Amino acid sequence: MPSKTFRGGVDTPHFKEMSASSPISELPAPEKVTIPLTQHIGAPCEVKVEKGDQVDLGQIIADTDAFVSAPIHASVSGTVEAVTTTRLADGRIVPAVVIASDGEDRWHESVAPKGELRNLDADAIRSIMREAGLVGMGGAAFPTHVKYTPPPGVDLHTIIINGCECEPFLTCDHRVMLEFADEIVFGLEAMMKVAGAKRGLIGIEENKPDAIEALRQAVGDRPYDVIPLKVKYPEGAEKQLISALTGQEVPSGGLPLDLGIVVNNVATAVALANAIKTGQPLIDRVVTVSGDRVGRPGNLRVRIGTSMEDVFDACGGLTEAPERIVIGGPMMGQAVFDISIPITKGCSGVLALSAEIAPVVEEKPCIRCGRCVEVCPSFLMPLYIADYPHEASLEYYPLDCIECGSCSYICPADQRLLERIRLAKVEAEARQRSDDA
Amino acid sequence: MDSKEALEQEALSVSSSPHLRTHVKTPRLMFDVVIALLPATATAFYFFGMQVGAILASAILGALVTEGLLNRLRGKSCTLWDGSALVTGLLIALILPLKVPLWLPFVGSFFAIAVGKALFGGLGMNLFNPALVGRAFLTASFPIYLTVYSWPERAGAWMGESFDAVSTATPLELLRFEGVQTPYFEMFIGRIGGSIGEVSALALLIGAAYLFVRGVIDWRIPLSYIGTVMILAFVLGQDPLFHLLAGGLILGAFFMASDYVTSPITRKGRLIFGLGCGLLTIMIRSFGGFPEGVAYSILLMNAAVPLIERYTIPRPFGAEVKRSA
Ligand code: SF4
Ligand code: SF4
């Protein structure tokens, strides 16, 4: 039987061997962290500390009453040096708290085990999710507790753990699956409990047989299925993963919730397990540091708010000037020009790439080969939408684009399709809003 | 070196994602088409002799010179690199009969590139397959040269010996006008009358297989085209295998109907396009004034591509109802 997958997508080179075999190593607390107060989709947090305050590890430094949000915690113990602003990977400038570490890693008094899972009810787990500042760690950084608060009448029946890691270069999820398989299953168990779900699925791309094995062992005789998936980008995109595993399509403009499904990244499952077992909030995450310009590629457990510069330097610095520095994966991540940008909760990788791997391309005439249409996992007509700003471009469903980049990747004429599709999306969104108003 | 130091050396690129790009670019695809045409080119030499070299040279030169000159005139950067002019020139040569005067392939290529392509705005903008435009122009302007086919009787005897091809008819003409059925095997290997590059089904199929293996073309157009022709032939009480092997169907289906620029980019559109080509081909062959209809069928369907595409826009992922255009 051919392995499960979605329709469309591309075969990219993987570049995973650079870091796949290096175990997760711990980057000690840096001298200074810059913690952005906007690390998730939703309402920004308000700062709860002032310059000069002493803070402990895991202490809440910013929070809000808004529902779609997640609190932010001190990722080191020390002194608040400044309440200022910082740049994020996407170029936005947002408020941030700078903390100088005292090197003691003194946990805050609020950090305490939450007791046995069987004694926790759904509401308790949901509030642990929120208190721990959990957000989707696969990139989108959507607050986790919100996903588990379905509107009335919606029955959450299936929880999917996403272990695809289809982005080239990235190996942090792979390592997490190998080293924390039990925590993932524990996290899944807790998620099943919050949702009252009946089915638990763990989807992993077939190029990680050791991770599939590790999770099968960890699952043991519990009723969860570990399902190998075809190696294809973007297998790990939420809607594509659901389609691969269940054959169902999330409605256009809708959420997995509409099908009664919640998808969580493996790292989020581990973070939830930690939050329950030890009470530790989300103060660090595993990041893949890779690329052909990095001294010693590897997988690092990094405190939130550590600068990219510190992360690179912990991995042997850069061997040569790179063409591009990317936060996230090379297909969907953002190229940045400033390495003082801090690591946030949704950041899975920092890459330093040469021009051979990440070339600057020149657009050639479209030869109408149709490859962009063939690979689009949203079944769109990328070259039609990329005709923007021509008015007709907006008729081809730009808002259904998941920005996976498969179209631009495959284009033999190096058309900058996604770049123009993004502009079309902005325009289409604006019009949708004015229609609604 | 530490990262700060490294970054002082050179500015970073910050263009938007994706940051990776395939290595399969336009020239690679075009040169793959050229490679796929090599077996047919080689059999042309084998069956028709050295004169084939002169036809090839004239047609390819015509295409490249025209493309280069027009680039100059229109102040565009050089586009010879993309290989598309080379493909057009090569195809023009392969769809000509042996006994053409040597200026004729050059003129055909000139017309193909200048009118068939540049007039529409260059690569990617043309509505009609340039090689077929060139061929149609030649047929209309110099019909006597294009209806005399040669019989590759002295196959393999050209080295060192004098080669005189005997004029003959194509299997389609033989059947139509004289009721003579050409043996399958002769047609399969190419010992038949016809344009120099279309006679050998075997050589063309080897090339087609190469295109599939390299992922250059989608199966939808050639298969729906050929399938339609064979099924309709059967329905009309004719010989499907004969229709497949005689004339220009294989060359047309794999190398001209599936030309990227002039065929639909949607999956469904490709099936419809192939179907239409097949329908027209069998109609022209059976009821039209000409024995062969591949070239005109493809050209006619080329004109329908914008329409086909508009009505075959796929349903976006997750859109429940099929939306019409
Ligand atoms: S992949 Fe590129 S060249 Fe091919 S149809 Fe799409 S935009 Fe045009
Ligand atoms: S149009 Fe959007 S969804 Fe489709 S391939 Fe391009 S980036 Fe991906």
Side-chain angles (χ1 to χ4, degrees), chain A residues 233-234 240 372 375-383 385 398 400-408 417-418 421 425:
Chain A
Y233 178 85
Q240 278 57 41
C372 54
V375 302
C376 177
S378 304
F379 314 160
L380 302 177
M381 302 281 286
L383 85 163
I385 310 173
D400 285 307
C401 167
I402 58 166
E403 305 193 24
C404 68
S406 298
C407 51
S408 295
L417 296 166
L418 177 52
I421 291 171
K425 285 182 78 171

Side-chain angles (χ1 to χ4, degrees), chain B residues 83-94:
Chain B
S84 68
L86 176 61
V87 170
T88 301
L90 181 56
L91 279 172
I92 295 252
L94 295 179

Side-chain angles (χ1 to χ4, degrees), chain A residues 7 15 168 239-240 243 249-252 309 312-313 316-326 330-337 339 357-361 364-371 373-374 377-381 383-384 396-397 400 405 408-416 418-419 422, chain B residues 1-4 6-30 76-77 79 81-82 122-126 214-218 220 259-267 270 305-306 309-310 312-320 323-325:
Chain A
R7 199 182 94 188
F15 302 111
K239 294 181 178 184
Q240 278 57 41
S243 144
E249 289 182 12
V250 175
S252 164
E309 184 182 345
F312 279 130
D313 287 342
L318 303 177
T319 52
E320 251 178 84
E323 176 70 35
R324 263 177 235 240
I325 301 246
V326 174
M331 295 297 285
M332 289 187 79
Q334 270 132 345
V336 299
F337 55 84
I339 54 167
I357 287 180
V360 178
V361 295
K364 308 280 185 351
C366 163
I367 54 170
R368 290 179 35 87
C369 66
R371 283 172 158 66
V373 180
E374 283 163 29
S378 304
F379 314 160
L380 302 177
M381 302 281 286
L383 85 163
Y384 277 30
Y396 297 100
Y397 322 108
D400 285 307
S408 295
Y409 171 81
I410 206 72
C411 178
D414 286 324
Q415 290 272 317
R416 288 197 261 276
L418 177 52
E419 207 171 314
R422 283 202 185 95
Chain B
M1 84 188 98
D2 72 35
S3 47
K4 204 164 212 164
L7 292 184
E8 273 157 13
Q9 298 178 355
E10 235 177 281
L12 290 169
S13 302
V14 287
S15 60
S16 74
S17 64
H19 308 291
L20 302 184
R21 294 279 185 160
T22 175
H23 290 295
V24 180
K25 309 284 187 200
T26 304
R28 171 30 245 270
L29 295 169
M30 295 293 171
K76 280 190 145 191
S77 57
T79 52
W81 60 268
D82 66 28
L123 179 63
M125 310 293 282
N126 47 301
R214 297 279 283 175
V216 177
I217 59 172
D218 184 22
R220 287 178 178 79
D259 168 32
Y260 292 144
V261 177
T262 56
S263 63
I265 58 172
T266 57
R267 291 179 174 87
R270 287 172 172 170
V305 165
E309 228 167 73
R310 250 188 59 201
T312 53
I313 303 293
R315 169 194 66 88
F317 182 99
E320 277 135 317
R323 308 183 210 198
S324 58

Side-chain angles (χ1 to χ4, degrees), chain A residues 218-348:
Chain A
V219 165
D221 48 16
R222 273 169 283 205
Y224 309 141
D225 289 320
V226 179
I227 301 177
L229 295 164
K230 190 167 170 187
V231 181
K232 191 169 67 168
Y233 178 85
E235 192 76 76
E238 200 167 67
K239 294 181 178 184
Q240 278 57 41
L241 177 61
I242 291 173
S243 144
L245 287 173
T246 71
Q248 286 180 288
E249 289 182 12
V250 175
S252 164
L255 294 170
L257 216 69
D258 298 325
L259 298 177
I261 297 174
V262 180
V263 181
N264 282 114
N265 178 268
V266 286
T268 312
V270 173
L272 176 59
N274 281 341
I276 294 171
K277 287 182 179 173
T278 65
Q280 291 174 11
L282 190 53
I283 53 134
D284 59 15
R285 66 156 298 143
V286 182
V287 173
T288 297
V289 188
S290 191
D292 56 341
R293 288 291 185 258
V294 171
R296 288 189 307 275
N299 304 288
L300 233 53
R301 179 180 296 283
V302 176
R303 302 293 169 92
I304 303 298
T306 307
S307 73
M308 291 177 84
E309 184 182 345
D310 287 345
V311 174
F312 279 130
D313 287 342
C315 291
L318 303 177
T319 52
E320 251 178 84
E323 176 70 35
R324 263 177 235 240
I325 301 246
V326 174
I327 294 200
M331 295 297 285
M332 289 187 79
Q334 270 132 345
V336 299
F337 55 84
D338 175 0
I339 54 167
S340 68
I341 291 174
I343 302 296
T344 56
K345 293 174 182 178
C347 164
S348 44

